[in-house]
Amino acid sequence: TEEVLHCMGCGVELQTENPSEIGYTPASALEKEFVICQRCFRLKHYNEIQDVSLTDDDFLKILNGIGQSRGLVVKIVDIFDFNGSWLPGLHRFVGNNDVLLVGNKVDLLPKSAKKNKLVNWMKKSAKDLGLRAADVFLISADKGQGIQELAAAIEEYRNGQDVYVVGCTNVGKSTFINRLIKEFSGEQDIITTSQYPGTTLDLIGISLDETATLYDTPGIINHHQMAHYVDKRDLKIISPKKEIKPKIYQLNEAQTLFFGGLARLDYVSGGKRALTCYVSNDINIHRTKLEKADDLYANHLGELLQPPRQEQLDEFPPLVAHEFNIKEGKTDIVFSGLGWVTVNEPGAKVVAHVPQGVGVFVRESLI
Ligand code: GDP
């Protein structure tokens, strides 16, 4: 029988197959006398948090544990993927604990976007989804924007208690924690681990003071994220790295815009008008006549219209149509994980197509 090895740091069962899952260690490391998983290795030698993903079951156990503890919950979402990065059950678990809602990647917003509108929309959406946030913050974990304000708010709201940082994968949670570690660094041994009852792994903590700790919880995979439908190599195409540059299209009725092969917007009726697209600068936008759109998609997905790549087409979900009649002026049609299109004047009928499972909705324009 095969021997099962455990990490001597956190006790997790070791595996050499999947670097993004817990317990990973390179096969070569198994020869060593003291074997630890890559996550513990990075933590020990670089004071660096590496994100791991968890099964839904273990994640629920952690959420349960948070509900039974006293502490502040800091929930991170990606402002370009608010719905895709939402943790649906969280509000049922937080108990009486305060939640700070943090929108990350604010560096990508075009200058013309009004941050207070985004904050108000996040508050309202959170409430509609059942979560009452004590406060909402916008940050860029990558560029450092808003970090000090958030750190100060965490200090104020936590009231001497522990802090739990939660978020699904890809929202930038590890980038955020690593930035916090830098802010606190200088002190020795600021990182601790703590076994969470019933789960297979330790939570990693940063000591805040003698008695309180900020815990990084593992990122959970949310299957509604657009990111799961594209190849890893194409992730950089859909997740922008730089401030988004709006692209304006003058459209006639019955014209269609394709966003690679990932989404499609049919402009059905409402006269000739301009639509402004706020998506990653690297996404190829292709315009065609509505009557030709179905054929174009059927025949050119994976080539002219990509991502997805040709070799992925078997797994790529079919696009689902959602119809919107825009009655208010200045409305954003939001494609979760991709960006949005602004319609300036009321009276437009559009149909937005997204992969099955991905969110699409309208909101008052941020611009
Ligand atoms: P995690 O899975 O939540 O831990 O997310 P990561 O920290 O690994 O980040 C996911 C992706 O988002 C990476 O490609 C990061 O470079 C990117 N990212 C994280 N924070 C920011 C940010 O503030 N702005 C931008 N533009 N990208 C970010």
Side-chain angles (χ1 to χ4, degrees):
T1 57
E2 220 171 287
E3 190 187 358
V4 177
L5 289 175
H6 293 268
C7 168
M8 301 184 103
C10 67
V12 71
E13 200 173 297
L14 292 170
Q15 52 95 7
T16 55
E17 304 291 313
N18 193 339
S20 62
E21 281 178 15
I22 66 170
Y24 175 76
T25 191
S28 59
L30 294 179
E31 328 250 289
K32 299 197 179 124
E33 199 170 336
F34 292 98
V35 192
I36 55 178
C37 70
Q38 190 168 60
R39 178 165 163 269
C40 286
F41 183 87
R42 294 262 282 269
L43 189 61
K44 183 161 173 249
H45 295 285
Y46 305 112
N47 262 8
E48 200 178 88
I49 302 272
Q50 182 187 24
D51 207 38
V52 290
S53 47
L54 264 195
T55 60
D56 295 13
D57 227 29
D58 275 348
F59 189 70
L60 286 182
K61 284 181 192 150
I62 288 180
L63 286 184
N64 246 326
I66 293 175
Q68 283 157 21
S69 322
R70 298 280 298 138
L72 174 68
V73 177
V74 176
K75 170 171 175 153
I76 311 213
V77 295
D78 178 344
I79 53 171
F80 279 82
D81 198 6
F82 187 85
N83 287 50
S85 61
W86 195 253
L87 302 169
L90 183 70
H91 62 279
R92 288 197 300 273
F93 290 97
V94 290
N96 294 322
N97 296 323
D98 273 341
V99 179
L100 295 185
L101 182 59
V102 177
N104 186 33
K105 311 194 185 179
V106 74
D107 55 295
L108 298 176
L109 281 185
K111 296 246 157 38
S112 49
K114 305 217 170 47
K115 294 192 182 139
N116 63 328
K117 284 196 176 176
L118 182 60
V119 165
N120 287 338
W121 172 71
M122 283 172 66
K123 277 184 188 154
K124 185 180 173 299
S125 307
K127 202 168 148 232
D128 291 347
L129 291 164
L131 182 82
R132 197 192 51 83
D135 215 337
V136 175
F137 292 86
L138 295 178
I139 63 162
S140 167
D142 196 34
K143 304 285 183 322
Q145 279 165 263
I147 298 290
Q148 269 158 8
E149 290 89 330
L150 175 57
I154 289 176
E155 199 48 40
E156 189 187 318
Y157 277 98
R158 77 182 178 91
N159 240 327
Q161 293 168 340
D162 289 340
V163 179
Y164 298 92
V165 181
V166 298
C168 74
T169 54
N170 281 320
V171 297
K173 191 162 59 61
S174 357
T175 308
F176 169 68
I177 301 258
N178 285 321
R179 188 167 274 279
L180 277 188
I181 291 175
K182 285 207 189 92
E183 299 252 325
F184 287 106
S185 71
E187 290 170 51
Q188 287 288 306
D189 296 329
I190 53 163
I191 296 182
T192 62
T193 60
S194 160
Q195 183 77 56
Y196 232 77
T199 66
T200 46
L201 97 166
D202 296 344
L203 287 191
I204 287 172
I206 306 172
S207 304
L208 296 169
D209 55 34
E210 269 93 73
T211 54
T213 305
L214 177 141
Y215 290 105
D216 179 35
T217 66
I220 186 82
I221 293 174
N222 187 327
H223 295 280
H224 298 294
Q225 277 174 299
M226 182 76 91
H228 296 305
Y229 299 113
V230 303
D231 190 278
K232 279 219 163 61
R233 290 167 290 180
D234 293 333
L235 263 185
K236 55 182 185 301
I237 295 181
I238 68 159
S239 21
K241 288 281 166 282
K242 291 208 197 94
E243 183 188 319
I244 284 181
K245 295 212 178 60
K247 295 198 185 91
I248 302 177
Y249 286 83
Q250 299 291 342
L251 292 188
N252 293 316
E253 292 186 349
Q255 285 194 321
T256 289
L257 296 178
F258 279 102
F259 302 93
L262 295 172
R264 153 181 169 190
L265 184 70
D266 301 337
Y267 176 50
V268 180
S269 62
K272 192 176 159 76
R273 67 169 70 212
L275 299 187
T276 314
C277 302
Y278 298 88
V279 295
S280 166
N281 304 334
D282 298 330
I283 284 246
N284 184 21
I285 304 180
H286 185 90
R287 181 212 306 242
T288 187
K289 287 191 173 136
L290 176 54
E291 61 186 17
K292 294 193 173 152
D294 285 342
D295 276 351
L296 188 78
Y297 196 75
N299 297 323
H300 295 285
L301 183 62
E303 321 157 7
L304 176 69
L305 305 176
Q306 65 158 304
R309 294 173 179 235
Q310 193 76 48
E311 65 263 30
Q312 283 180 280
L313 295 186
D314 287 346
E315 300 140 50
F316 192 72
L319 297 187
V320 178
H322 305 258
E323 185 180 304
F324 298 102
N325 285 297
I326 313 287
K327 300 208 176 71
E328 316 276 327
K330 289 224 166 198
T331 301
D332 292 339
I333 301 144
V334 184
F335 298 81
S336 261
L338 203 60
W340 68 88
V341 176
T342 303
V343 178
N344 282 316
E345 307 283 331
K349 179 172 163 185
V350 299
V351 180
H353 307 247
V354 285
Q356 198 162 31
V358 170
V360 61
F361 49 92
V362 294
R363 72 176 169 212
E364 186 190 333
S365 172
L366 299 183
I367 309 294

